[in-house]
Amino acid sequence: MAEKVLVVGSGGREHALAWKLAQSPQIQQVLVAPGNAGTANCGKICNSEVSVSNHSILAQFCKDHHVGLVVVGPEVPLAAGIVDDLTAAGVPCFGPSAKAAQLEASKSYSKAFMERHGIPTARYGSFTDDAEEACKYIRTASFPALVVKASGLAAGKGVIVAKDQDEACQAVLDIMKDGAFGSAGETVVVEELLEGEEVSCLCFTDGISVSPMPPAQDHKRLQDGDLGPNTGGMGAYCPTPQVSQELLQEIRGTVLQKTVDGMREEGAPYVGVLYAGLMLTKDGPKVLEFNCRFGDPECQVLMPLLKSDLYEVIMNTLNGKLANNAPVWHQESSAVTVVMASAGYPGSYKKGVEIKGLSQVQDMGLQVFHAGTALKDGAVVSSGGRVLTVTAVQSSLEAALAAANKGVAAVGFPGAVYRHDIGHRAISYLNQHRGLTYKDSGVDIAAGNKLVDLIKPMAKATARSGCNAELGGFAGLFDLKAAGFVDPILVSGTDGVGTKLKIAQACNQHEGLGQDLVAMCVNDILAQGAEPLFFLDYFSCGRLDVDVAAKVVGGIAKACEMAGCALLGGETAEMPGVYPVGEYDLAGFCVGAVERGALLPRLGDIAEGDLLIGIASSGVHSNGFSLVRKVLERAHLTYSSPAPFGKPGQTVGEVLLTPTKIYSRLLLPILKSGAVKAYAHITGGGLLENIPRVLPPELAVDLDASHWSIPPVFSWLHKEGGLSEEEMSRTFNCGLGAVLVVAPLDAQRVLRQLQAYEEAWIVGSLDKKQLGAETVVVRNLKQSLLNSEGGAAADVKLEKNGNSDNSTPRIKKRVGVLISGTGTNMQALIEQARRPSSSAEIVVVISNRPGVQGLKRAALAGIQTRVVDHKLYGSRAEFDGTIDRVLEEFGVELVCLAGFMRILTGNFVKKWNGKLLNIHPSLLPSFKGVNAQKQALQAGVRVSGCTVHFVAEEVDAGAIIVQESVPVLSSDTEESLCERIKEAEHRAFPAAMELVASGTVRLREDGHITWNT
């Protein structure tokens, strides 16, 4: 069962943790409390307003909302005992106990602990409420005692590295006398100033064993060249080349394992992430400080390099299974993150500065992790000192830094402060003189050989008659005679997948591109009636990433099997300097054959009156993506945004990367039957330019867009991009992946053959071309695009009538249902929405009470559920605001209150005016409010019933949609009347939902109803 996970915190570290956790197939949802703009409704990730400081409320929230794991980001909750309290309440929580967290919470404790257990560290003195004694220590120590630390937690800023004794003494006075760090400075630690390289070595530990992470380096100073004031961290990179594998093993033994063993011996087993800040001195590594959690910004470079499932790593850590399940890391990559801070940081700074360009950064294949950000009127604005980080992962540190800096430059953040030299020490270290190899130039022969070994079995699986698909030779062979051809003509085609590549690379989703590539080539040669025989691919890149290339070629091999052709060979070209690292390009080549007498198109047979059969596409396929990306930029959407088209829960990237359909196995038997006169692949050039390519010049095409189903993505592009009908039909397939030309007598037979396996329609006919007239006319396109527009994730269904070729799309209105109890009215709505003829689709059920029967009913029906517990909110406005955000998350267009026992605020009702339905157990306007059945019996009326109405600000006063009467019997009790009215409600509410969802009934601005018959 998929888990819900709660991440505690609001910084870049917490965004990175949530981002990585959301990648786990075992995770259903990641809640972040309180979170930031980056974690607000981003795919599986959303923010929660639950209090994290009140551990009792938090524990109850986790139980009510079925949260199976809490991951704590910052140090303050850990030191406050959040792990102890949640664990005691039965809620699994990742992090050390309060006792173990003293390693960070008290530097005085930490230094004494290291002294007790022989862990190498700087010499020191600890002083409580005695500034004079601390200054005396600074002036008399036999070593440079110039590092002054507030012993308590100071948000990473409580360390002053002084240049001389006077500055060190002044730091002591600032901390102890002037309270620069508050209570954190009641005790001060004065340390020896160590010299060397500073690095961060973190590990996972289950309390017994340790599993080190790749070493990283933070940059504390504000400005380039390590100048300026100390900060919480202005950037980081990973791994650090200064730490060899041998040195990392030494650190593991002398520092990390010793610390975990010592904590266990002292009765405070340490479970979670242990962070050792180290100085690499001439005498070996020495500990500067311990942190009891991931570093920030180190976490933002570690998470992208973690190959393993973070959720599995955490569970193995909590369950004491780390020794046999060590996390796996990407070994051949480097990560750099650059922090963008507010002007004035680390001093005072302005909040509310709008930040733009974030979607462009993600389109560059970079990851933006938010920290001090918030949402204001739909825009991202600054709300803290360190505002966001831009993270790049590349094959080298230099390339990663260049990419991250390029990303930072693309962010529109006025006055932002950031460094340009993250990793400068490592780059200097790497540039020390040594002999060059071919690999140094950017070409890795070993990686290329590894790739060939990986793809050989994939290619072998595509063998067919005429070809054994063995890779490794200089050329491939195909035996036409063995394939059964008598008098063949060879047909070849070549193509790529265009800028769909950019989306796949940004989303790190490469497998589907193989099908796109094969489909574009195979579907082209079908236009000659050819059977695809063999395929060759060309993969070019700046640096060969074997895993990525294997996914792409693996997708090509699977697609070749689908198409019935052999993957006979290919070329992998590693060309440093031609392509940026992390980018690649693809080309495909397909060769097929057709018997001479079966060659298409049969131009001499095509005549006026012939019919056109359209075959459904899967979406945009592989053309027009440069325009798609431009529209996304205008709409301020990223590839990880919830898709305003497609299926519920899908991201923009997932919908756009839907692979191109391959039509060869479907169409070849039909083409060989002789019933098809021509076939057009709807590729680049859309409907307007591709169909004429297979027709005699004297004929014109008449298409009717109302005859086929247009996927919602095209409606969205049309509306959001302001694209004309001509632009749509010249750029995109608009829902038709292929078009066949058939004689009217053959049309129904061919249509039935196609519809057995695929959606297909008669979409038009051929006419004699008139002088000066357009070759292709697409009628009803604009209206069909508007009809197909269903808001977020519209579900387009076909309502079959007698003539399937004239089927028109029915748009399902997305409905959210609010409940508080058993959900019997909701069940009636669900059953109505299941009917093929329904205009409604219930996409989410929200309850203000956890664990009610209605939630179980919804789950059994396969409908997503959410609990928004009113008890956890300080005001009705906060509660309603959360309900509103959930409804928007699911793209809800109509809300039904089905036994929802909360009065909604006026602002909520105004926003959803005309889209909010309620059912009341009386014939309104009689007997408003509670106990309506009791009021009816007391009034002695002979007829009662139920009313479905639009919700207005006044209770039970909105315009009436449906009423159903119920006779009041002389023998009726309140209970018996209630039961019979419920039966009526189960008929009336679905009927009203249907009237509104279908557009038959709508609410006018004056509050009255309009009927569209």
Side-chain angles (χ1 to χ4, degrees):
M1 180 179 173
E3 284 278 21
K4 283 186 183 178
V5 176
L6 174 69
V7 175
V8 174
S10 61
R13 165 183 50 216
E14 288 74 38
H15 188 184
L17 290 171
W19 170 80
K20 188 64 181 178
L21 284 164
Q23 295 171 16
S24 171
Q26 301 181 60
I27 298 294
Q28 173 196 348
Q29 185 182 31
V30 182
L31 303 172
V32 188
N36 53 46
T39 55
N41 299 322
C42 179
K44 291 183 182 178
I45 307 170
C46 63
N47 290 338
S48 171
E49 297 182 15
V50 65
S51 169
V52 296
S53 57
N54 188 319
H55 299 168
S56 297
I57 288 179
L58 181 60
Q60 190 58 49
F61 173 89
C62 291
K63 291 177 181 179
D64 291 345
H65 293 77
H66 310 292
V67 172
L69 173 67
V70 175
V71 178
V72 185
E75 63 276 13
V76 173
L78 292 168
I82 190 172
V83 174
D84 309 70
D85 294 340
L86 291 184
T87 303
V91 178
C93 189
F94 181 68
S97 65
K99 191 174 181 182
Q102 288 181 93
L103 277 177
E104 177 174 7
S106 170
K107 292 179 177 63
S108 178
Y109 168 87
S110 177
K111 296 296 287 190
F113 172 87
M114 286 186 271
E115 199 169 51
R116 290 195 298 274
H117 293 278
I119 296 167
T121 187
R123 290 172 283 183
Y124 79 103
S126 180
F127 308 91
T128 302
D129 298 328
D130 195 342
E132 289 74 16
E133 191 65 27
C135 288
K136 181 180 177 183
Y137 182 83
I138 290 169
R139 297 193 185 281
T140 59
S142 60
F143 51 82
L146 299 178
V147 180
V148 181
K149 298 180 177 180
S151 180
L153 298 175
K157 300 171 190 172
V159 178
I160 293 92
V161 180
K163 64 177 182 290
D164 54 36
Q165 291 178 351
D166 289 341
E167 188 176 310
C169 286
Q170 186 59 50
V172 169
L173 295 174
D174 290 343
I175 296 171
M176 301 188 85
K177 295 288 188 183
D178 298 338
F181 301 110
S183 61
E186 290 173 359
T187 296
V188 163
V189 172
V190 178
E191 280 187 4
E192 172 186 12
L193 177 65
L194 299 176
E195 293 185 357
E197 195 80 42
E198 190 173 340
V199 295
S200 305
C201 288
L202 292 81
C203 70
F204 291 102
T205 174
D206 57 11
I208 297 173
S209 60
V210 298
S211 181
M213 304 180 200
Q217 188 173 65
D218 185 11
H219 293 62
K220 289 290 187 188
R221 296 288 185 174
L222 181 69
Q223 300 163 358
D224 287 352
D226 293 324
L227 301 175
N230 225 25
T231 71
M234 293 301 294
Y237 69 93
C238 180
T240 54
Q242 304 93 316
V243 179
S244 64
Q245 280 300 312
E246 293 76 18
L247 181 55
L248 185 58
Q249 288 307 310
E250 179 186 341
I251 292 167
R252 174 180 184 158
T254 61
V255 176
L256 302 175
Q257 189 66 58
K258 259 192 177 183
T259 302
V260 170
D261 291 345
M263 293 299 288
R264 190 173 65 253
E265 289 166 13
E266 294 193 8
Y270 193 106
V271 177
V273 170
L274 177 63
Y275 171 135
L278 302 167
M279 185 70 81
L280 305 181
T281 74
K282 59 182 177 57
D283 298 320
K286 293 187 178 182
V287 177
L288 296 173
E289 64 174 355
F290 283 121
N291 291 329
C292 58
R293 34 70 192 179
F294 279 103
D296 186 343
E298 289 93 340
C299 189
Q300 290 93 301
V301 288
L302 284 165
M303 288 302 96
L305 294 180
L306 178 61
K307 200 170 186 179
S308 298
D309 183 321
L310 178 60
Y311 174 73
E312 291 183 358
V313 173
I314 288 174
M315 295 312 294
N316 286 330
T317 302
L318 289 177
N319 296 325
K321 298 179 179 178
L322 197 57
N324 297 320
N325 297 279
V328 179
W329 302 84
H330 291 285
Q331 298 294 335
E332 301 297 323
S333 298
S334 291
V336 169
T337 195
V338 178
V339 173
M340 299 187 76
S342 297
Y345 175 81
S348 61
Y349 49 82
K350 181 182 177 182
K351 296 182 181 181
V353 178
E354 185 173 354
I355 302 164
K356 299 180 179 179
L358 298 178
S359 61
Q360 292 93 305
V361 177
Q362 292 193 301
D363 290 349
M364 295 162 67
L366 307 175
Q367 185 62 45
V368 177
F369 293 117
H370 291 239
T373 64
L375 291 174
K376 183 179 180 181
D377 300 327
V380 176
V381 298
S382 64
S383 64
R386 292 192 296 168
V387 175
L388 55 86
T389 66
V390 176
T391 301
V393 177
Q394 299 285 354
S395 61
S396 69
L397 183 59
E398 295 95 329
L401 175 58
N405 284 340
K406 187 177 177 183
V408 166
V411 176
F413 180 12
V417 178
Y418 53 89
R419 289 182 60 160
H420 306 80
D421 66 342
I422 302 302
H424 66 95
R425 290 196 194 90
I427 292 171
S428 298
Y429 177 86
L430 291 168
N431 286 338
Q432 293 174 2
H433 179 73
R434 57 187 174 88
L436 292 174
T437 66
Y438 199 8
K439 188 173 181 179
D440 290 326
S441 72
V443 180
D444 191 340
I445 296 174
N449 292 336
K450 182 180 178 183
L451 176 63
V452 172
D453 290 339
L454 285 173
I455 63 179
K456 274 184 177 180
M458 302 177 190
K460 181 71 175 173
T462 68
R464 52 155 292 161
S465 56
C467 174
N468 61 12
E470 290 279 3
L471 298 186
F474 288 100
L477 303 175
F478 194 95
D479 187 341
L480 284 168
K481 189 175 288 186
F485 287 91
V486 178
D487 184 20
I489 294 176
L490 291 178
V491 180
S492 66
T494 182
D495 212 334
V497 297
T499 55
K500 190 172 186 176
L501 281 165
K502 300 284 286 184
I503 299 177
Q505 289 162 11
C507 297
N508 196 28
Q509 298 293 325
H510 310 280
E511 296 87 343
L513 290 179
Q515 181 171 328
D516 289 314
L517 188 67
V518 173
M520 295 302 288
C521 298
V522 166
N523 291 345
D524 274 354
I525 69 168
L526 284 174
Q528 314 301 143
E531 175 186 344
L533 302 178
F534 60 87
F535 191 86
L536 301 106
D537 69 89
Y538 177 79
F539 181 98
S540 55
C541 58
R543 175 190 171 275
L544 181 60
D545 184 320
V546 174
D547 289 341
V548 169
K551 288 176 181 176
V552 173
V553 180
I556 292 171
K558 288 179 183 176
C560 284
E561 288 187 74
M562 293 167 62
C565 61
L567 179 55
L568 195 56
E571 165 70 0
T572 302
E574 192 171 20
M575 298 187 287
V578 177
Y579 295 95
V581 174
E583 293 188 9
Y584 58 85
D585 199 3
L586 289 175
F589 310 87
C590 186
V591 174
V594 57
E595 295 292 355
R596 194 176 301 274
L599 194 64
L600 291 179
R602 301 203 311 269
L603 294 176
D605 294 344
I606 299 173
E608 181 181 356
D610 281 345
L611 297 181
L612 303 176
I613 296 178
I615 306 171
S617 69
S618 60
V620 185
H621 278 186
S622 299
N623 297 105
F625 275 92
S626 294
L627 180 54
V628 170
R629 289 164 54 231
K630 197 68 179 175
V631 176
L632 289 175
E633 182 182 326
R634 174 184 282 192
H636 304 294
L637 286 180
T638 67
Y639 300 131
S640 60
S641 300
F645 41 77
K647 296 177 181 176
Q650 284 187 300
T651 64
V652 168
E654 287 169 343
V655 177
L656 294 178
L657 289 175
T658 302
T660 308
K661 285 186 177 179
I662 298 174
Y663 296 115
S664 54
R665 289 196 185 271
L666 169 69
L667 287 180
L668 277 172
I670 299 172
L671 298 182
K672 289 178 179 179
S673 73
V676 175
K677 299 180 181 183
Y679 154 98
H681 178 203
I682 310 303
T683 178
L687 298 169
L688 298 187
E689 296 185 5
N690 285 293
I691 303 175
R693 295 167 69 180
V694 299
L695 299 179
E698 67 272 14
L699 293 178
V701 176
D702 180 17
L703 294 174
D704 188 341
S706 68
H707 285 188
W708 75 83
S709 174
I710 298 181
V713 62
F714 295 113
S715 301
W716 183 85
L717 288 166
H718 167 65
K719 178 182 177 182
E720 199 66 36
L723 306 181
S724 66
E725 293 176 79
E726 182 180 6
E727 196 67 40
M728 289 295 300
S729 54
R730 192 179 300 281
T731 307
F732 301 115
N733 64 60
C734 294
L736 299 181
V739 171
L740 308 182
V741 180
V742 297
L745 289 175
D746 295 322
Q748 287 301 323
R749 174 168 58 85
V750 172
L751 189 64
R752 283 194 299 272
Q753 288 176 285
L754 292 169
Q755 287 179 334
Y757 302 98
E758 186 60 84
E759 280 190 294
W761 313 266
I762 293 176
V763 296
S765 60
L766 298 182
D767 295 328
K768 189 171 184 62
K769 186 179 179 183
Q770 302 301 315
L771 187 64
E774 298 291 339
T775 304
V776 179
V777 174
V778 187
R779 292 183 289 111
N780 299 317
L781 179 59
K782 185 174 183 178
Q783 190 58 46
S784 297
L785 287 165
L786 293 173
N787 289 344
S788 184
E789 183 190 317
D795 184 13
V796 179
K797 306 290 184 184
L798 289 184
E799 214 184 353
K800 297 292 182 182
N801 55 28
N803 297 311
S804 58
D805 52 294
N806 287 323
S807 296
T808 55
R810 173 180 290 279
I811 311 303
K812 295 273 193 178
K813 187 78 76 174
R814 297 172 64 78
V815 178
V817 182
L818 274 55
I819 64 169
S820 295
T822 57
T824 55
N825 267 322
M826 176 202 71
Q827 186 65 43
L829 296 176
I830 290 172
E831 289 169 4
Q832 172 64 29
R834 281 175 172 165
R835 296 185 179 184
S837 59
S838 175
S839 296
E841 177 194 12
I842 298 175
V843 295
V844 65
V845 171
I846 305 171
S847 173
N848 68 306
R849 293 176 179 169
V852 296
Q853 180 65 28
L855 291 172
K856 296 175 184 176
R857 290 178 189 266
L860 287 172
I863 298 170
Q864 293 251 34
T865 62
R866 293 287 186 271
V867 175
V868 182
D869 191 340
H870 61 279
K871 296 176 184 175
L872 302 177
Y873 295 87
S875 68
R876 285 170 56 203
E878 283 182 298
F879 172 72
D880 286 5
T882 304
I883 294 279
D884 184 54
R885 285 194 293 275
V886 175
L887 294 171
E888 287 188 344
E889 175 191 346
F890 284 89
V892 168
E893 301 164 283
L894 178 64
V895 181
C896 294
L897 307 182
F900 185 64
M901 306 305 291
R902 303 294 297 173
I903 296 175
L904 296 164
T905 57
N907 286 337
F908 185 95
V909 173
K910 284 177 185 175
K911 176 173 180 179
W912 290 91
N913 186 43
K915 304 172 186 175
L916 190 59
L917 310 186
N918 183 45
I919 189 158
H920 184 73
S922 78
L923 294 176
L924 291 174
S926 299
F927 314 128
K928 295 181 180 181
V930 296
N931 303 318
Q933 296 92 339
K934 184 177 181 180
Q935 291 181 59
L937 290 172
Q938 288 175 343
V941 297
R942 301 272 47 92
V943 177
S944 187
C946 63
T947 302
V948 185
H949 61 96
F950 285 108
V951 176
E953 289 190 63
E954 184 184 340
V955 175
D956 297 331
I960 293 170
I961 305 165
V962 170
Q963 288 186 313
E964 182 166 334
S965 61
V966 173
V968 180
L969 306 178
S970 58
S971 59
D972 263 333
T973 62
E974 194 175 330
E975 290 75 20
S976 64
L977 179 59
C978 178
E979 284 304 311
R980 285 188 293 111
I981 290 177
K982 272 187 181 177
E983 292 174 9
E985 288 178 351
H986 297 166
R987 294 187 295 270
F989 210 168
M993 177 182 73
E994 204 60 54
L995 288 170
V996 178
S998 66
T1000 304
V1001 167
R1002 66 179 181 85
L1003 187 67
R1004 297 199 312 248
E1005 288 186 9
D1006 63 3
H1008 292 89
I1009 279 177
T1010 292
W1011 289 77
N1012 300 316
T1013 55

